[in-house]
Amino acid sequence: PDGEEDELDFGNHTPILFMDFDPKNFRLFAGDQIGRLRCYDFTSIFRHVDEHLKQPDPRNKYFLNEIYNYKTGKGRIKSKTLWYVDAHHESIKHLFFAETHPKIIISTSHDLKVKLFNAKNGSFIDELKQGANKYAPVPTGIKYKGVDPITSKFLIIIRKTI
């Protein structure tokens, strides 16, 4: 859906876990915990910051407060949601905007898939799947030496799996 989330806060529904930025087009790509991938247009925000930096107004120390806050309803400069897609069935673990191929976003998820999307409109391109069975990884060996942050006790743990 094109721009339907304009009235919604940037990341309001679920926390944004990972994001990447397209500096050429001022686009922010964000992935959240329900597997949704969003693209925001930050052109107006960067234009506002650039204007302030070119001609700083010492009376306006809080020029960033002019960026619209969806929770308080204050501010005049908004980002715009360009598109969003339900990209994965589980939370997004990482996403990457491929600057050398500026039309591609690569995302990974706890659903064990790597997916490719068109950065311009969010359309699905292709996916890779890790495997059919979803099991927790079994460690072949762990050696940990340090202080437990909860109990403050010194620990040495050696665990081997046969």
Side-chain angles (χ1 to χ4, degrees):
D2 194 15
E4 287 182 20
E5 287 192 331
D6 282 345
E7 301 302 318
L8 304 177
D9 183 10
F10 168 72
N12 185 42
H13 288 94
T14 58
I16 290 173
L17 300 177
F18 288 96
M19 60 186 181
D20 205 348
F21 189 70
D22 172 2
K24 185 177 178 183
N25 297 303
F26 301 108
R27 304 289 191 256
L28 181 79
F29 303 101
D32 67 20
Q33 70 183 19
I34 61 169
R36 184 168 279 179
L37 178 62
R38 294 180 174 96
C39 176
Y40 297 97
D41 181 357
F42 271 36
T43 305
S44 61
I45 293 172
F46 278 91
R47 188 178 306 129
H48 174 67
V49 171
D50 285 345
E51 286 172 11
H52 177 77
L53 294 176
K54 286 177 186 173
Q55 295 180 341
D57 182 356
R59 297 169 294 162
N60 188 1
K61 296 178 193 173
Y62 306 104
F63 71 98
L64 289 177
N65 289 345
E66 293 180 34
I67 296 172
Y68 191 77
N69 182 325
Y70 289 89
K71 291 179 183 174
T72 64
K74 295 179 181 177
R76 61 183 176 83
I77 299 163
K78 294 183 180 183
S79 65
K80 180 181 180 186
T81 304
L82 297 177
W83 54 261
Y84 69 92
V85 293
D86 292 324
H88 291 274
H89 295 291
E90 294 188 33
S91 63
I92 293 177
K93 288 175 29 178
H94 192 71
L95 65 91
F96 174 73
F97 170 70
E99 249 184 283
T100 56
H101 299 281
K103 295 181 180 177
I104 297 175
I105 300 169
I106 303 167
S107 64
T108 63
S109 169
H110 289 281
D111 63 8
L112 303 179
K113 293 180 182 178
V114 176
K115 293 188 176 185
L116 282 70
F117 295 91
N118 183 316
K120 192 169 187 171
N121 59 23
S123 61
F124 175 78
I125 297 172
D126 204 353
E127 74 178 35
L128 303 167
K129 188 168 181 177
Q130 182 176 337
N133 297 325
K134 186 177 174 185
Y135 296 107
V138 178
T140 55
I142 296 174
K143 185 175 181 181
Y144 174 78
K145 189 176 184 179
V147 177
D148 184 323
I150 297 171
T151 64
S152 297
K153 292 181 181 177
F154 185 75
L155 298 174
I156 297 177
I157 299 171
I158 298 174
R159 178 173 154 191
K160 292 182 180 178
T161 302
I162 299 174

